[in-house]
Amino acid sequence: MYNEKVCGILFSNTHDDIITDLTEKRTLGSVPFGGRYRLIDFPLSNMVRSGISQVGVITKYNYQSLIDHLGSGREWDLTRKVGGLHILPPFGNTTHDGIYRGKLEALRGALDYLTHSKCKYVLMSDCNIISNMDYTPLVEYHIQKGADITLMYKTVNVSEEEAAVSTLVKLDNTGRVCDVMIDPKTEGMNQLCLDVYVAEKDLLVDLIREASAKGEVSFDRSVLQGKKDSLKIYGYGYDGFIEDIYTMQSYYRANMDLLNPEARKVLFPADRPVYTKIRDEVPVKYGIDAVTKNSLIADGCIIEGDVENCILFRGVIVKPGARVKNSIIMQGSVIGSKCEVSHVIADKNVVFNDYRVVTGTIDYPVYLAKGSRV
């Protein structure tokens, strides 16, 4: 099996600046999603289901919640004597200052992990794309093409806002990348790079060392764009379901899409589960006057009011007379009696005092920071 020769690298902090409200005190990878998951669960589960049993997670700062979530990797079957899960802290390399400015600098801090690995190929991924995919065909395509680097892309209708924080590519008729556009001001049907790459390990190590000597930090600019003519860089098209997190609005919409049974069926098929840290909680408790419609409600919640089109994380309390609609309420938050809450993203442990009214819109949901009181 090809993937026995593959190790994984996950960038937990790349794109932290796209949803700064949620990443002020945590990495992008540990941002909660869908009532029980973290964003890192999706690429990490994809790697494990694809047969990759050695994964390194590159951190930068604010990674305490990420370490708490990943632990030893038991939920992903990565508690192993050989391979397994490796947390790669920013100060693990004494020649690296830890606050990296791009993927190449981040990889420089992980050089010891790469050089000591016995893998032949490295599969790298960010945490901003939510999907349920098998990486095996990507690795097989990379080997078949004799490529130096293979990137995964999806042909989608890209908005100007999404393109402004993304990398778009163009391919020739052989599938080789012939153009790379970084943060372009464009829109329409384009090949959106999903920030998933396969590379020969030895080549990647050489590229990291070369970039370090030249002071280069950006993988997209220095390697994909700068070496597209000298390296054999190919694109592998993915036609499955994805959610791209690139703004707070896109994060809100991606969560709300889970209220569609068809979207849940595609993202969480029975034969391809998404693994996450399991916490033992009591079942949801519903009061005698509680009303719930089209909502995802996690264990440990107490519902005594009205909840409609919402995603509630563990331990949320909705008190009598409260009405919560079209909102994402994270772990441990409390909605007081007679509150009116609509189109809100409430981070962990937010408390709404009784009789409060907080409303946003579908395009501009109101965000309440962790531990806020309203």
Side-chain angles (χ1 to χ4, degrees):
M1 182 178 180
Y2 287 131
N3 291 1
E4 293 176 351
K5 302 178 182 179
V6 182
C7 65
I9 288 281
L10 282 173
F11 298 95
S12 66
N13 282 88
T14 307
H15 308 297
D16 269 3
D17 56 343
I18 61 178
I19 49 174
T20 52
D21 291 330
L22 286 168
T23 56
E24 182 180 359
K25 297 181 179 179
R26 58 167 72 93
T27 70
L28 181 73
S30 61
V31 168
F33 181 82
R36 62 174 297 188
Y37 300 95
R38 304 292 182 114
L39 293 185
I40 198 171
D41 292 339
F42 295 89
L44 183 55
S45 296
N46 290 340
M47 287 185 178
V48 170
R49 291 193 312 266
S50 301
I52 299 174
S53 59
Q54 180 181 350
V55 181
V57 180
I58 294 180
T59 62
K60 187 176 183 181
Y61 46 68
N62 291 341
Y63 51 87
Q64 181 59 51
S65 63
L66 182 72
I67 292 176
D68 176 66
H69 178 69
L70 294 177
S72 64
R74 180 174 59 87
E75 283 80 2
W76 296 268
D77 191 27
L78 290 175
T79 305
R80 297 166 178 258
K81 292 182 178 179
V82 178
L85 181 69
H86 300 259
I87 304 296
L88 306 175
F91 299 98
N93 189 323
T94 56
T95 63
H96 184 55
D97 65 9
I99 310 302
Y100 56 80
R101 295 165 292 172
K103 285 180 182 174
L104 285 175
E105 270 195 343
L107 288 167
R108 179 158 62 98
L111 265 179
D112 285 347
Y113 167 79
L114 289 172
T115 54
H116 285 89
S117 171
K118 296 181 180 180
C119 68
K120 184 176 181 180
Y121 307 100
V122 180
L123 191 148
M124 300 175 286
S125 176
D126 292 348
C127 294
N128 65 310
I129 299 293
I130 297 169
S131 66
N132 191 314
M133 63 176 67
D134 184 0
Y135 293 140
T136 304
L138 168 65
V139 176
E140 291 176 344
Y141 180 84
H142 174 84
I143 296 171
Q144 174 193 340
K145 285 289 188 178
D148 295 316
I149 297 172
T150 302
L151 60 85
M152 182 178 285
Y153 71 90
K154 183 175 175 64
T155 302
V156 292
N157 191 4
V158 181
S159 67
E160 185 173 345
E161 187 178 32
E162 183 177 11
V165 293
S166 303
T167 296
L168 308 180
V169 298
K170 291 185 178 179
L171 289 74
D172 63 21
N173 56 11
T174 69
R176 185 167 176 172
V177 173
C178 58
D179 195 12
V180 178
M181 298 169 285
I182 301 171
D183 306 337
K185 294 182 178 179
T186 186
E187 59 183 357
M189 297 302 296
N190 280 281
Q191 284 72 49
L192 172 70
C193 178
L194 301 184
D195 295 320
V196 178
Y197 313 96
V198 177
E200 299 274 351
K201 186 193 77 171
D202 292 342
L203 171 66
L204 181 62
V205 169
D206 290 342
L207 291 172
I208 296 167
R209 288 172 173 161
E210 178 185 340
S212 178
K214 294 181 178 179
E216 297 172 340
V217 300
S218 171
F219 183 83
D220 287 14
R221 294 186 185 280
S222 299
V223 177
L224 298 184
Q225 192 176 65
K227 295 183 179 295
K228 69 181 189 306
D229 297 325
S230 58
L231 293 179
K232 293 182 288 184
I233 303 176
Y234 281 84
Y236 175 82
Y238 177 72
D239 58 3
F241 176 85
I242 68 164
E243 293 280 10
D244 184 10
I245 307 298
Y246 57 94
T247 59
M248 284 294 286
Q249 290 82 1
S250 66
Y251 171 80
Y252 175 81
R253 289 194 299 269
N255 275 274
M256 291 295 105
D257 283 348
L258 295 184
L259 300 178
N260 180 346
E262 291 303 314
R264 292 199 303 272
K265 183 178 179 180
V266 172
L267 192 56
F268 304 105
D271 60 335
R272 293 182 59 79
V274 177
Y275 306 111
T276 189
K277 183 178 181 179
I278 303 299
R279 296 181 186 271
D280 294 329
E281 295 276 0
V282 298
V284 181
K285 178 182 177 181
Y286 294 94
I288 192 169
D289 295 320
V291 177
T292 59
K293 298 178 182 177
N294 193 38
S295 296
L296 296 179
I297 302 177
D299 291 344
C301 292
I302 300 175
I303 311 298
E304 298 181 282
D306 294 358
V307 177
E308 183 177 354
N309 298 329
C310 290
I311 294 177
L312 305 187
F313 286 71
R314 291 187 304 270
V316 170
I317 298 175
V318 180
K319 293 188 176 180
R323 300 179 64 187
V324 189
K325 295 184 176 181
N326 306 305
S327 295
I328 303 165
I329 311 296
M330 295 187 194
Q331 181 178 334
S333 295
V334 178
I335 314 294
S337 298
K338 304 295 183 180
C339 283
E340 297 280 343
V341 177
S342 176
H343 295 97
V344 166
I345 302 173
D347 212 323
K348 296 174 66 174
N349 302 318
V350 172
V351 176
F352 296 79
N353 291 331
D354 297 347
Y355 300 99
R356 295 298 186 262
V357 177
V358 182
T359 59
T361 67
I362 190 171
D363 293 321
Y364 297 99
V366 174
Y367 172 73
L368 299 171
K370 182 179 180 179
S372 299
R373 295 189 69 91
V374 181

